[in-house]
Amino acid sequence: MHVPVLTIDGPSGAGKGTVSRLVAKKLGWNYLDSGSIYRSLAIALQNNPFNLGNVSEIVKVAQAMALEFECGDELIVKLNGEDITSKLGLESTGSIASQIAALPEVRRVLLQKQQDFRQPPGLVADGRDMGTVVFPDAENKVFLTASAAKRAERRYKQLIEKEIDANLAKIKIEIEARDRRDREREAAPLAMAIDAHYIDSSDIGIETVVEEVLNLIR
Ligand code: DC
């Protein structure tokens, strides 16, 4: 049975997560937050002392990880039975995730885990390489971006709302460093698929973006 896919790629903080979840809810489709798979691996590695140079150890941990996703109003992720949701959003988790995501062997192991999410009646997949590598045959592809300054501002607000200490200038520097790593890596770099629809969310609200994405599908 053919299962339709909508891919939403772009840099961190562009609003992909929020937009993807809202669109998936409207359509009644499944949702894949592929970044959370890389982030879960980062957490699994932190539970064991690890060395970024030891690729075969990292691959072993990736193969052994049992992930469960519960997609309610908020995404709950369990790693080997343990709820790791509260650790997923940490900046340190994102930074390790971005470093291990540069390893082609790691991406290969995680590819099937992501493709398994393609279940009826449809899938909204959010990440960096959803439209280029993981679901190249997706019917609808979006590339969602925003300026680094706007993305840093949004991330800062999120952290302050969660009562997590944050520094705006530092966040912007971290976002730019992560963008560079994600764009410049050789394995599946962050890039717009040639058949993707480009949306810049710097100066438009989430509702407008959601409408624009839904219009593509209709
Ligand atoms: O979307 P995110 O911030 O949760 O992703 C965390 C890191 O994982 C990001 O810096 C790069 C990596 N990633 C990736 O390489 N490919 C994806 N499809 C999703 C995330």
Side-chain angles (χ1 to χ4, degrees):
M1 179 189 172
H2 180 76
V3 180
V5 181
L6 160 69
T7 60
I8 304 191
D9 289 307
S12 62
K16 284 175 296 159
T18 312
V19 170
S20 303
R21 263 192 297 273
L22 287 170
V23 171
K25 203 169 177 186
K26 281 248 160 103
L27 296 170
W29 287 10
N30 298 296
Y31 167 54
L32 164 62
D33 171 0
S34 62
S36 72
I37 295 186
Y38 289 90
R39 286 172 181 268
S40 300
L41 177 56
I43 293 166
L45 289 167
Q46 282 175 301
N47 292 340
N48 314 273
F50 82 104
N51 168 353
L52 267 176
N54 193 339
V55 177
S56 63
E57 266 309 306
I58 298 177
V59 165
K60 249 190 239 159
V61 175
Q63 281 165 332
M65 74 168 181
L67 288 178
E68 291 165 67
F69 288 81
E70 288 166 29
C71 291
D73 277 343
E74 215 196 324
L75 182 73
I76 293 175
V77 181
K78 287 185 182 164
L79 167 67
N80 303 327
E82 184 202 342
D83 186 340
I84 56 162
T85 312
S86 64
K87 295 184 195 161
L88 280 177
L90 297 178
E91 214 45 56
S92 54
T93 306
S95 169
I96 297 175
S98 156
Q99 293 173 57
I100 53 180
L103 303 168
E105 295 86 347
V106 169
R107 303 197 74 85
R108 215 168 296 134
V109 174
L110 299 183
L111 184 66
Q112 188 64 49
K113 284 189 198 290
Q114 297 170 76
Q115 289 172 338
D116 289 345
F117 278 78
R118 191 173 192 166
Q119 300 291 338
L123 176 68
V124 179
D126 128 26
R128 304 289 188 289
D129 61 342
M130 298 296 101
T132 50
V133 176
V134 182
F135 304 106
D137 64 331
E139 296 63 14
N140 290 289
K141 301 181 184 180
V142 169
F143 192 82
L144 180 61
T145 190
S147 67
K150 269 280 154 68
R151 288 185 285 132
E153 222 173 85
R154 289 177 191 158
R155 180 80 191 127
Y156 175 78
K157 276 194 196 140
Q158 271 172 2
L159 291 171
I160 295 298
E161 270 164 26
K162 288 186 193 161
E163 296 180 359
I164 299 173
D165 214 15
N167 174 309
L168 183 59
K170 198 164 154 234
I171 291 174
K172 184 159 174 273
I173 291 171
E174 279 166 356
I175 283 189
E176 286 168 339
R178 188 127 70 89
D179 281 0
R180 251 193 316 278
R181 245 194 329 265
D182 292 348
R183 277 182 209 282
E184 291 175 4
R185 68 176 180 225
E186 279 184 26
L190 168 65
M192 182 167 141
I194 44 168
D195 48 351
H197 179 85
Y198 180 88
I199 303 178
D200 183 334
S201 72
S202 301
D203 300 311
I204 53 174
I206 289 293
E207 275 73 36
T208 313
V209 178
V210 168
E211 254 329 288
E212 199 168 329
V213 173
L214 286 169
N215 280 339
L216 281 180
I217 298 201
R218 279 183 202 124

